[in-house]
Amino acid sequence: MVRGARFGVVSFLAVAIGTTLGFSEQDLVELAYGAFLMDIGMTQVPQAILEKPGALSPEERAEIERHPVLGLSLLERIQSLPRPAALVAYQSHERCDGSGYPHGRTDSLIHEHAKIVAIADTFDALTCERPYRPAVLPYKAMEEVIFQAGRRKV
């Protein structure tokens, strides 16, 4: 099983959040594309790492954490893609407290849409079974997202 988001779910959740916040149609399109493409760089990560059933080594984790950079390289080649969408995909694993990747950016340096995608991705990740833990119920996932937001993790 590939480690990563269920692309349509994260995109749907991100657009739902953006709609609730009153985003314009253009912002929603950029948000949807960024969310849908957030893990495209995973296509460049070795399959053995993606399919590894157990914990990743530090080297394997570093490979995974390079995927936003690899994805940006791919997305920059698509002329018809809205530029903010590529930035959103690139920054979607950054965290407001600086603990994210690929560059450990903090709140003011992370695109607003990337923050929304991070919230949607966190919720989705928690509600999906992983090799190292069972899925949690949606209400428990929401509690965790709220807790993490309070700690500026998302």
Side-chain angles (χ1 to χ4, degrees), residues 4-147:
R6 295 178 306 162
F7 309 108
V9 173
V10 174
S11 188
F12 174 81
L13 292 171
V15 169
I17 294 167
T19 300
T20 300
L21 294 173
F23 280 16
S24 70
E25 185 176 334
Q26 180 62 36
D27 282 341
L28 291 173
V29 167
E30 293 167 2
L31 183 60
Y33 275 119
F36 193 77
L37 297 169
M38 67 178 279
D39 283 334
I40 194 153
M42 292 291 245
T43 62
Q44 307 302 300
V45 174
Q47 200 67 25
I49 293 173
L50 297 177
E51 295 176 351
K52 184 174 180 181
L56 299 175
S57 70
E59 295 80 16
E60 292 165 333
R61 185 91 201 133
E63 275 295 310
I64 293 286
E65 291 182 1
R66 278 181 3 109
H67 87 268
V69 175
L70 300 170
L72 181 63
S73 177
L74 293 171
L75 296 175
E76 286 179 326
R77 299 179 201 165
I78 303 172
Q79 297 296 324
S80 60
L81 184 69
R83 180 76 181 129
L87 180 62
V88 169
Y90 176 62
Q91 290 187 342
S92 64
H93 295 287
E94 297 286 2
R95 297 296 177 256
C96 292
D97 69 352
S99 66
Y101 61 88
H103 296 295
R105 288 185 166 85
T106 55
D107 188 21
S108 64
L109 299 175
I110 304 170
H111 194 286
E112 178 183 22
H113 297 177
K115 293 175 191 177
I116 290 170
V117 172
I119 290 167
D121 184 46
T122 299
F123 179 85
D124 180 56
L126 290 167
T127 58
C128 291
E129 186 173 333
R130 297 290 193 241
Y132 49 88
R133 65 150 178 80
V136 301
L137 293 171
Y139 83 91
K140 284 290 191 186
M142 187 55 68
E143 287 177 349
E144 181 62 24
V145 168
I146 291 168
F147 175 75

